[in-house]
Each structure stands twice: as C-alpha cells, then as structure tokens.
C-alpha cells in the first residue's frame, strides 16, 4: 500500500522536545515530517498520523502547542494521534497529562505520555540555574533528585501505539 505519512509537531524551549521528536521519528516508518508548532501553517490533510509534543513549564505545555491543538482540533480527530509532554513529572502522576492537552484530543489519542527530559543548565536563565545549584546542595534534595533523562521506552511505546493502530485499520 501507500507509505504512511506522519507529521510530528513540537514546541520546545531549550531544545529537548525537538530531540524527543527526532528520537520518535527514528522509530517510525514511511514519510515523517518534523515541524515546530510555532511556524506550522499548513493543513493536516495529507497526513495519516500526527504526533504532538511540547515541553512543560510551571505546569503548562507550551502556548504554541495548545494553539496548534485548538486550531486543528477537528482535523486531528480524524487522524491517528499520539501526544507527548517533555517534563520531569512522571506520567503516572494522577491527572497531570489531562491538564496539558484538550480533552477531546486526549480521548481520541492512541497514546498519551510524558517522555522525561533533560536539564539544560547552560541554557537556563541564571535564576533557575542558581536555584537548582542551591537545591542540589541540600542533602535531602540531592538524594531524591534523579538527573532527568529522556525515556526512550515511552517514546517507543508512543510510536508503537500509533503504528499498531494504523496496522489494525488497514
């Protein structure tokens, strides 16, 4: 049959979500297009599947990602859909992912997950960097603090969930 066409739209502050989007792309087949939500103006007509990811900051997903979801909501409900957040909050955290994406998209998505993240100290503003450095000096914090990592297993599950759904529908 015709190769599947997939769009990955992401919103990123320090570049980690882009890295996750690239890791996701490596796990997909067919034609995969990577686009920053900020600059995406096209229609979704030609895509079979869409993945949307954004970094989370102070409990909110990036504005351009929310905007993209709202603008394309109707079209997205006709696509195979995967949603991901780049953040340090584990996906098991009750109710957390529900606050990041519109309800109808959450209900429609084949898979919704948090894929971890990385600390980009060098790109953080001074205030944040100082805050983390001082927190790391506190014993209790340091013991409990895992340097965040990108969760490749979740990225794989995200890819599989949407691809498997695609295969079942063929």
């Amino acid at each position: 049959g015709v190769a599947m066409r997939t769009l990955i739209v992401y919103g990123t502050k320090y570049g980690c979500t882009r890295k996750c989007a690239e890791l996701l792309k490596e796990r997909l087949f067919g034609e995969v297009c990577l686009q920053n939500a900020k600059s995406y103006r096209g229609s979704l007509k030609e895509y079979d599947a869409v993945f949307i990811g954004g970094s989370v900051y102070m409990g909110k997903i990036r504005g351009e990602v929310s905007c993209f979801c709202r603008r394309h909501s109707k079209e997205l409900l006709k696509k195979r859909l995967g949603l991901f957040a780049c953040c340090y909050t584990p996906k098991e955290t009750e109710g957390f992912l529900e606050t990041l994406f519109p309800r109808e998209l959450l209900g429609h998505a084949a898979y919704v997950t948090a894929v971890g993240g990385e600390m980009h100290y060098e790109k953080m503003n001074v205030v944040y960097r100082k805050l983390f450095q001082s927190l790391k000096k506190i014993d209790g914090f340091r013991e409990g603090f895992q340097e965040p990592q990108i969760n490749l297993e979740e990225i794989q599950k995200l890819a599989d969930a949407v691809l498997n759904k695609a295969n079942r529908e063929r």
Side-chain angles (χ1 to χ4, degrees):
V2 180
M4 190 159 123
R5 299 195 63 182
T6 303
L7 173 68
I8 305 174
V9 177
Y10 65 90
T12 193
K13 185 179 173 79
Y14 297 122
C16 183
T17 311
R18 181 180 170 93
K19 188 172 171 181
C20 291
E22 284 165 352
L23 290 164
L24 174 61
K25 181 178 179 172
E26 287 167 16
R27 287 159 173 77
L28 299 168
F29 53 77
E31 205 178 310
V32 185
C33 177
L34 210 59
Q35 291 274 353
N36 194 317
K38 261 192 182 135
S39 51
Y40 191 74
R41 291 290 171 266
S43 116
L44 306 182
K45 267 206 301 293
E46 70 252 45
Y47 298 105
D48 305 296
V50 181
F51 291 89
I52 305 170
S55 54
V56 176
Y57 195 67
M58 301 293 200
K60 285 210 171 353
I61 201 152
R62 290 196 66 75
E64 65 266 27
V65 173
S66 296
C67 248
F68 177 87
C69 288
R70 281 197 305 272
R71 191 184 306 136
H72 297 283
S73 174
K74 278 202 179 69
E75 274 184 292
L76 288 167
L77 292 173
K78 298 183 191 124
K79 308 287 176 190
R80 296 189 278 271
L81 181 65
L83 304 173
F84 67 97
C86 239
C87 57
Y88 314 135
T89 310
K91 75 177 190 117
E92 295 74 39
T93 306
E94 193 56 50
F96 168 67
L97 289 165
E98 282 69 40
T99 63
L100 302 178
F101 294 99
R103 189 180 293 136
E104 66 275 16
L105 295 187
L106 288 162
H108 176 68
Y111 199 68
V112 183
T113 188
V115 295
E118 294 171 327
M119 288 292 195
H120 288 272
Y121 296 107
E122 71 288 354
K123 294 180 186 166
M124 284 182 184
N125 68 37
V126 181
V127 179
Y128 258 84
R129 198 159 53 225
K130 284 221 167 84
L131 173 72
F132 266 102
Q133 282 159 351
S134 57
L135 282 171
K136 279 180 147 178
K137 291 187 186 113
I138 303 166
D139 291 344
F141 181 82
R142 202 173 48 233
E143 281 153 32
F145 182 72
Q146 291 284 313
E147 189 68 35
Q149 289 175 324
I150 291 174
N151 188 335
L152 295 175
E153 204 181 319
E154 281 301 315
I155 291 178
Q156 187 64 59
K157 282 184 190 166
L158 176 64
D160 291 345
V162 174
L163 293 178
N164 288 342
K165 195 167 186 308
N167 293 336
R168 280 200 305 272
E169 285 170 10
R170 285 201 168 156

